[in-house]
Amino acid sequence: MKLYTSQRAPNPRRVRWVLAEKGVTDVEIVEIDIMAGEHRAPAYRDKVGVPHVPALELDDGTCVTESIAICRYLEALYPEPNLFGHDAREQAVVEMWTRRCEFYLANPMMLTVRHSHPALAALEATQTTQIADYNKVTAERFMRMLDRHLAGRDFIVLDRFTMADIVACVGLDFARLIKYRPPEELANLARWYEACRARPAAQAGA
Ligand SMILES: N[C@@H](CCC(=O)N[C@@H](CS)C(=O)NCC(=O)O)C(=O)O
């Protein structure tokens, strides 16, 4: 298998983190330079179907994009440690929190960064301050809810580290590019965040 990835890009980092948690090392890593537009080159785009990273090329040539779909595929191949839930109940609540963290935290944080970091203007048709501001408000609303949820909990869902923790932590880490830090008063969020960042696998793709 080949993983097309890009250093510092948040969605590929989710996949690198999952590989590291599972101790998988036999995936060829192919670095795509987004800032140089390599993901838009016809050879890449036609192969994977979209001008995005990450993409996982399977040995039969199938290309899977969408970071969560890739991570689910990896979980099916390498079930332990489990990141998506063992039984139906666990899978439902992990999915619920993973989607919440993606829609209400990671995506808004990503838009905040892309619409405020000068170097990322090249990736947007129009870099717009209002989009950054609006999305920061959305993300911080979710952070406050997550902070309350994390009172007395070490992880976002279940009693162990899951995909939801990866998605949320990567989303917050990406915002460090603009020197963003979550509001200081969110102590439960801060404790959880530091614990996630301290995991050895957190370094993968960071
Ligand atoms: N929903 C997709 C998003 C993929 C995505 O947008 N990747 C970014 C890098 S994090 C990208 O390829 N950006 C290129 C661009 O915007 O031109 C996923 O989860 O994989």
Side-chain angles (χ1 to χ4, degrees):
M1 291 188 288
K2 277 187 198 168
L3 178 67
Y4 297 91
T5 178
S6 193
Q7 201 71 20
R8 286 193 293 276
N11 293 299
R13 184 172 166 223
R14 296 172 178 172
V15 181
R16 302 285 296 270
W17 192 332
V18 165
L19 287 170
E21 290 286 345
K22 291 177 178 290
V24 179
T25 54
D26 61 348
V27 175
E28 185 185 341
I29 302 294
V30 182
E31 195 62 28
I32 299 292
D33 186 344
I34 293 182
M35 299 316 292
E38 286 180 6
H39 61 305
R40 296 200 178 114
Y44 177 80
R45 198 195 49 212
D46 294 348
K47 182 203 286 269
V48 311
V50 287
H52 288 155
V53 284
L56 185 70
E57 185 177 358
L58 311 187
D59 293 341
D60 71 355
T62 303
C63 283
V64 183
T65 64
E66 292 301 322
S67 53
I68 303 291
I70 294 171
C71 294
R72 279 193 176 283
Y73 179 77
L74 294 170
E75 173 107 333
L77 291 189
Y78 308 98
E80 296 298 335
N82 174 279
L83 294 171
F84 281 90
H86 284 296
D87 56 21
R89 187 195 71 87
E90 283 195 4
Q91 286 169 12
V93 291
V94 172
E95 175 82 10
M96 174 180 78
W97 275 104
T98 301
R99 291 173 74 95
R100 286 176 177 172
C101 292
E102 182 165 35
F103 295 155
Y104 310 126
L105 179 61
N107 286 350
M109 279 280 88
M110 185 260 295
L111 287 166
T112 303
V113 176
R114 288 179 58 131
H115 283 275
S116 46
H117 194 299
L120 300 184
L123 296 177
E124 299 300 332
T126 314
Q127 200 177 46
T128 310
T129 307
Q130 289 92 325
I131 294 179
D133 294 346
Y134 176 85
N135 278 283
K136 191 165 87 147
V137 170
T138 301
E140 289 190 341
R141 190 181 304 130
F142 183 79
M143 282 178 221
R144 284 192 288 278
M145 191 273 275
L146 192 55
D147 180 68
R148 290 193 297 275
H149 171 75
L150 283 167
R153 285 191 172 88
D154 290 335
F155 305 102
I156 291 178
V157 61
L158 307 181
D159 56 357
R160 62 178 191 270
F161 186 78
T162 68
M163 195 65 211
D165 298 294
I166 293 178
V167 168
C169 185
V170 169
L172 289 174
D173 271 358
F174 185 53
R176 295 170 87 91
L177 271 183
I178 53 167
K179 305 200 184 323
Y180 176 84
R181 297 290 186 279
E184 275 182 15
E185 68 272 19
L186 303 183
N188 299 313
L189 184 76
R191 168 182 48 77
W192 159 88
Y193 183 39
E194 285 316 310
C196 288
R197 286 173 52 76
R199 297 176 75 83
Q203 300 313 313

